[in-house]
Amino acid sequence: ALYDAVSVRLAALDQDQEVKEASISTMGVLVASLGDALGDKLSSALPVLLDRLRNEITRLTAVRAFETIAASPLDLPLADTIPPLLTELCSYLRKTSRGLRLASLLALGEIARHHAAALGAEEMKAIFVELAPIIADRDLQLASQALTLCLKLVEADAAVAGPLVAEHAMGPLVVLLASPLLQGAAIARME
């Protein structure tokens, strides 16, 4: 009954922004908490969430919902959802919205941690290509999250991610380490 009520709100296009965001967040929590019990309903909820991810108005909320879903301890069947999700999240790393970039980094981190099997060499390369410009002293919090994501990808598959780190992340990291903005705790975190 709860799923049905949220599903109706999630599918509706003519409602207030707060209701849209609440339905997206609620569906994310429902899928993350009860996804294994949803059965066929799960396969209908994920494409709607992907549609909300592609909508500029609901994008940030949908990224956070997918972060929640990716972090779920349940063994959710996300194999069909992860490739288009990665494409969208990687493209958001180029956007000017800092909040969207940070949320995308966090969502990618949860995918790397819990769904590493869905990340092939091409997917990892796409992620590293987008991470390289973020590893800079323009925004140290984003740089820190980008480096954390690099570490998660290496932990997921060192054979694939290791050469990608050398090719895409090592140069920006060396430049970042030489930055006068790094002091004390920031340098200690990078060790």
Side-chain angles (χ1 to χ4, degrees):
L2 180 60
Y3 172 86
D4 294 331
V6 174
S7 180
V8 168
R9 292 293 181 191
L10 185 63
L13 299 175
D14 57 341
Q15 55 193 354
D16 290 338
Q17 182 66 23
E18 294 83 17
V19 175
K20 288 179 189 178
E21 291 177 357
S23 67
I24 292 167
S25 298
T26 304
M27 186 59 77
V29 171
L30 275 174
V31 169
S33 303
L34 305 170
D36 55 350
L38 291 176
D40 292 339
K41 293 178 180 179
L42 179 62
S43 62
S44 64
L46 293 174
V48 176
L49 284 172
L50 277 172
D51 285 342
R52 299 304 171 262
L53 184 69
R54 293 178 182 115
N55 182 319
E56 188 173 352
I57 295 171
T58 56
R59 184 175 289 160
L60 181 58
T61 306
V63 169
R64 290 181 179 145
F66 274 112
E67 177 190 357
T68 302
I69 292 168
S72 172
L74 303 176
D75 186 23
L76 299 173
L78 300 177
D80 293 338
T81 305
I82 288 182
L85 177 60
L86 287 176
T87 301
E88 294 298 324
L89 292 175
C90 285
S91 73
Y92 298 158
L93 295 178
R94 286 178 257 146
K95 299 289 185 186
T96 57
S97 169
R98 184 182 185 281
L100 181 61
R101 293 183 342 168
L102 182 59
S104 297
L105 285 169
L106 295 172
L108 286 166
E110 292 303 329
I111 292 169
R113 178 180 292 147
H114 298 286
H115 302 279
L119 300 176
E122 288 303 313
E123 289 84 3
M124 281 202 187
K125 182 176 181 179
I127 294 170
F128 276 104
V129 165
E130 298 302 335
L131 286 180
I134 298 173
I135 302 171
D137 63 359
R138 288 183 303 275
D139 188 326
L140 294 178
Q141 183 183 14
L142 285 177
S144 174
Q145 287 300 323
L147 291 172
T148 300
L149 177 55
C150 288
L151 180 60
K152 289 177 185 176
L153 291 168
V154 169
E155 290 170 351
D157 190 346
V160 173
L164 292 171
V165 167
E167 182 180 349
H168 298 285
M170 196 57 70
L173 178 58
V174 169
V175 172
L176 177 63
L177 289 172
S179 171
L181 297 176
L182 288 184
Q183 298 177 11
I187 290 177
R189 175 151 167 92
M190 291 188 190
E191 291 178 346

